């Protein structure tokens, strides 16, 4: 079998060598031709089609250590797959040794200390499911099948960001297997510089095997969901969105999007495929107050669908899952905004009207709030001036439609990026976005990250990520 080394050479891997790896593991080794190889090697974005040489389905920290040791002995290229949701396909690499973390999905909740410990293979839904048993939650994203590891290591935002900041602001500790195959703890007291770097610096410093999150009282019932209108009402709806978002208390998070209507049962059949505008709301405080806060949205204009109701928080957290299935082709362009100007809304509508796939959308996520209260140096995720995330989200089925959809997203971005803070979300960068975009995402924190990299991974073993070169 052929495998790749860290410096890009191809080497022959003997069966005996592979057997020696198997003997050190509790988890399964999977290679091309084995059942499950394709399931493990594929990621959310079907534009990414890579073939790792060896996949290890880790069953614990000892397996992770054994894999890192093996990679060091043979100088193998290493990649780590959490939820496999990274749009650039950073979880997988041709010829690599892949650590598939998807079987490490345990969650332990200490309801008295309000801390959850989650294994690094957890998806967002795994964590919400366990913490919600106690009416608790931490800040996670909008799609429950996303991996906690990639999301947290790159920052993380969702419906609770405005109350408690980036996901990574809510991390109190991580267990990490280093480039020397040592298990270490990273907290504000133990290895504090490593801990700083992990909160936005991605998987550059080791394999994270577990994450401890601070929890907050949320739900179990919140007011959340979607109201949709025909796109002809977009000028008024976007104006309403702007006003409400500017005045919203931290408990209320508002998202707006424009797209062709999906064939959802709550939207009239004759509207399916036609352009719509919608507002997604989550009021995570008292549900009675939430109903009052969203009443103005529900009674606005002539909605074609309204599923903005009291519901379990965990249900809201998976409400959008069906819109983002694994296996479509995806291409995004993204920027942070400090506010929404009327001219931005005009352009947002104009480019939405040019969408050329039934699955694509233009989305504006409201963030800000608690996130804005810390300074850029607090952690590498930075971007403390961001109040909205613009995502121009191309999604389609056939490779033959790649050119048209990518061109649509790029054109829209070219026209809209003038409204950016200059910053962008590292976790939304596509595979062709390089060092200048990483710099836009991490800002001046890059040089400190490079120092940490030099200390913890001087050989750059952990390189299939948004790579920080050792100083
Ligand atoms: C449909 C969709 C919705 C999204 N919604 C949101 C959202 O609401 N909010 C938000 O903040 N982000 C969101 N994202 C972006 C998301 O945060 C990133 O895609 C993130 O990389 C996903 O994490 P993952 O574990 O699934 O990634 P993977 O693709 O598995 O990995 C991404 C990177 O993290 C590294 N990594 C993974 N696990 C480990 C580990 N254990 N130790 C060290 N490194 C590791 C990988 O090596 C790789 O470099 C969304 C993405 C998608 C596709």
């Amino acid at each position: 079998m052929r495998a790749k080394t860290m410096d890009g050479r191809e080497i022959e891997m003997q069966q005996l060598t592979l057997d020696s790896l198997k003997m050190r593991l509790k988890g399964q080794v999977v290679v091309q031709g084995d059942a499950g190889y394709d399931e493990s090697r594929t990621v959310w974005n079907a534009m990414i089609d890579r073939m790792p040489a060896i996949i290890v389905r880790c069953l614990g920290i000892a397996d992770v250590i054994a894999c890192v040791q093996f990679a060091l002995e043979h100088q193998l290229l290493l990649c780590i797959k959490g939820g496999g949701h990274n749009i650039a396909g950073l979880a997988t690499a041709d010829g690599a040794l892949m650590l598939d973390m998807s079987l490490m999905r345990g969650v332990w909740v200490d309801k008295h200390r309000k801390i959850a410990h989650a294994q690094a293979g957890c998806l967002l839904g795994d964590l919400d499911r366990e913490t919600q048993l106690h009416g608790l939650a931490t800040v996670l994203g909008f799609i429950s099948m996303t991996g906690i590891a990639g999301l947290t290591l790159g920052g993380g935002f969702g419906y609770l960001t405005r109350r408690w900041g980036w996901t990574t602001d809510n991390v109190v500790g991580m267990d990490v297997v280093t480039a020397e195959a040592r298990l270490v703890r990273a907290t504000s007291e133990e290895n504090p510089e490593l801990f700083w770097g992990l909160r936005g610096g991605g998987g550059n410093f080791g394999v994270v095997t577990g994450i401890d999150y601070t929890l907050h009282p949320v739900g179990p019932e919140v007011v959340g969901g979607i109201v949709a209108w025909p796109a002809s009402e977009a000028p008024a709806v976007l104006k309403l969105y702007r006003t409400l978002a500017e005045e919203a208390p931290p408990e209320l998070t508002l998202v707006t999007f424009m797209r062709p209507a999906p064939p959802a049962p709550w939207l009239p059949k004759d509207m399916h495929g036609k352009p719509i505008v919608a507002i997604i709301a989550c009021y995570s405080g008292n549900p009675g107050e939430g109903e009052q806060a969203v009443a103005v949205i529900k009674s606005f204009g002539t909605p074609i669908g309204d599923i903005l109701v009291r519901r379990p928080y965990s249900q809201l957290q998976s409400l959008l899952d069906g819109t983002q299935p694994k296996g479509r082709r995806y291409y995004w362009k993204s920027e942070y905004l400090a506010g929404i100007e009327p001219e931005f809304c005009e352009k947002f509508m104009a480019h939405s009207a040019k969408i050329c796939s039934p699955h694509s959308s233009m989305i504006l996520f409201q963030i800000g709030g608690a996130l804005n209260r810390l300074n850029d140096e607090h952690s590498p995720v930075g971007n403390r001036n961001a109040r909205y995330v613009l995502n121009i989200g191309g999604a389609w089925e056939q490779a033959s439609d790649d050119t048209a959809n990518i061109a649509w997203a790029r054109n829209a971005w070219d026209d809209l990026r003038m409204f950016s803070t200059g910053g962008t979300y590292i976790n939304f960068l596509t595979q062709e976005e390089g060092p200048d975009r990483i710099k836009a995402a991490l800002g001046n924190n890059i040089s400190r990250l490079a120092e940490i990299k030099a200390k913890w991974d001087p050989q750059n073993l952990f390189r299939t990520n948004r790579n920080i070169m050792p100083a």
Side-chain angles (χ1 to χ4, degrees):
M1 175 213 304
R2 310 287 290 171
K4 255 197 188 153
T5 61
M6 272 184 259
D7 54 10
R9 281 178 299 116
E10 281 215 349
I11 53 165
E12 186 61 31
M13 178 123 319
Q14 305 295 334
Q15 185 60 43
L16 263 179
T17 316
L18 196 60
D19 289 344
S20 78
L21 172 65
K22 286 182 185 166
M23 284 166 63
R24 300 184 208 177
L25 298 169
K26 195 161 125 194
Q28 192 191 6
V29 172
V30 182
V31 297
Q32 196 176 351
D34 288 347
Y37 175 77
D38 278 336
E39 191 199 327
S40 278
R41 83 172 179 89
T42 50
V43 293
W44 170 78
N45 185 0
M47 299 271 282
I48 310 293
D49 183 17
R50 299 189 191 131
M51 311 284 285
I54 309 165
I55 298 173
V56 176
R57 290 183 158 166
C58 297
L59 278 181
I61 300 174
D63 277 359
V64 173
I65 291 175
C67 288
V68 173
Q69 273 165 348
F70 187 79
L72 288 171
E73 282 160 23
H74 300 279
Q75 291 293 291
L76 290 179
L77 180 65
L78 193 73
C79 61
I80 309 152
K81 184 180 178 192
H85 259 57
N86 186 272
I87 188 162
L90 294 176
T92 181
D94 285 327
L97 167 62
M98 174 195 269
L99 275 68
D100 176 353
M101 306 293 281
S102 63
L103 297 179
M104 291 176 59
R105 285 171 69 176
V107 178
W108 292 265
V109 178
D110 182 335
K111 67 174 181 181
H112 301 295
R113 288 171 59 228
K114 295 201 174 61
I115 302 276
H117 175 79
Q119 285 184 306
C122 283
L123 306 183
L124 308 190
D126 298 328
L127 187 50
D128 278 331
R129 185 176 158 83
E130 299 300 329
T131 57
Q132 275 295 281
L133 289 176
H134 310 283
L136 299 170
T138 195
V139 179
L140 296 173
F142 298 90
I143 302 288
S144 74
M145 289 109 72
T146 309
I148 62 159
L151 179 134
T152 306
L153 291 167
F157 67 89
Y159 292 119
L160 306 179
T161 297
R162 303 188 66 245
R163 295 180 79 182
W164 295 298
W166 295 113
T167 299
T168 203
D169 296 340
N170 294 273
V171 171
V172 290
M174 296 202 198
D175 299 322
V176 189
V177 173
T178 68
E180 293 172 337
R182 266 189 318 126
L183 175 65
V184 301
R185 180 95 180 130
T187 67
S188 54
E189 266 110 47
E190 271 179 87
N191 301 307
E193 215 29 33
L194 174 64
F195 184 54
W196 182 86
L198 288 164
R199 288 175 296 158
N204 266 288
F205 313 110
V207 187
V208 171
T209 57
I211 308 177
D212 295 343
Y213 296 92
T214 304
L215 304 174
H216 313 277
V218 174
E221 206 173 45
V222 298
V223 172
I226 316 173
V227 180
W229 299 263
S232 54
E233 295 189 34
V237 172
L238 291 184
K239 201 170 164 204
L240 172 77
Y241 176 80
R242 267 181 67 206
T243 313
L244 292 180
E246 287 302 311
E247 292 166 0
E251 288 81 3
L252 180 62
T253 291
L254 299 167
V255 178
T256 186
F257 67 84
M258 292 190 72
R259 59 165 292 165
W266 61 277
L267 290 170
K269 271 210 174 88
D270 62 343
M271 281 303 292
H272 293 178
K274 307 235 171 76
I276 57 167
V277 60
I279 292 180
I280 307 174
C282 169
Y283 191 94
S284 60
N286 176 288
E289 288 166 19
E291 279 166 343
Q292 283 175 20
V294 303
V296 55
I297 304 173
K298 291 169 75 74
S299 62
F300 190 79
T302 44
I304 53 163
D306 178 354
I307 49 168
L308 178 49
V309 292
R310 277 188 193 220
R311 61 171 82 234
Y313 174 72
S314 55
Q315 195 190 78
L316 182 67
Q317 284 290 83
S318 58
L319 189 68
L320 304 177
D321 285 5
T323 65
Q324 306 288 328
K326 179 180 176 184
R328 278 189 190 144
R329 304 175 79 78
Y330 294 96
Y331 182 86
W332 292 350
K333 280 288 179 189
S334 186
E335 295 292 333
Y336 288 128
L337 313 182
I340 315 171
E341 292 157 45
E343 197 190 344
F344 170 86
C345 294
E346 294 297 325
K347 288 178 185 282
F348 188 84
M349 288 185 282
H351 290 287
S352 301
K354 293 182 190 161
I355 284 176
C356 51
S357 159
H359 310 302
S360 296
S361 56
M362 300 213 16
I363 312 177
L364 204 52
F365 301 95
Q366 187 186 12
I367 50 173
L371 175 159
N372 301 136
R373 287 200 281 276
L374 297 167
N375 59 33
D376 270 342
E377 293 72 37
H378 171 268
S379 45
V381 59
N383 290 289
R384 300 287 173 179
N385 57 349
R387 291 178 194 275
Y388 298 89
V389 185
L390 165 68
N391 199 35
I392 302 161
W396 64 99
E397 309 270 356
Q398 303 296 334
S400 53
D401 295 330
D402 286 2
T403 310
N405 283 284
I406 292 171
W408 165 76
R410 285 191 184 150
N411 282 338
W413 177 65
D414 277 344
D415 204 21
L416 283 161
R417 63 184 303 198
M418 61 190 279
F419 300 101
S420 171
T421 59
T424 187
Y425 185 30
I426 200 153
N427 274 348
F428 281 181
L429 296 182
T430 45
Q431 53 179 331
E432 95 285 356
E433 293 185 294
D436 58 324
R437 296 289 282 162
I438 299 176
K439 170 84 181 143
L442 296 172
N444 293 332
N445 288 320
I446 284 195
S447 45
R448 186 164 163 195
L449 286 169
E451 299 287 343
I452 301 170
K453 180 78 172 174
K455 178 170 176 208
W456 290 92
D457 184 19
Q459 206 194 345
N460 202 7
L461 173 66
F462 303 110
R463 63 179 66 198
T464 49
N465 45 42
R466 290 297 168 188
N467 201 226
I468 308 286
M469 290 301 284

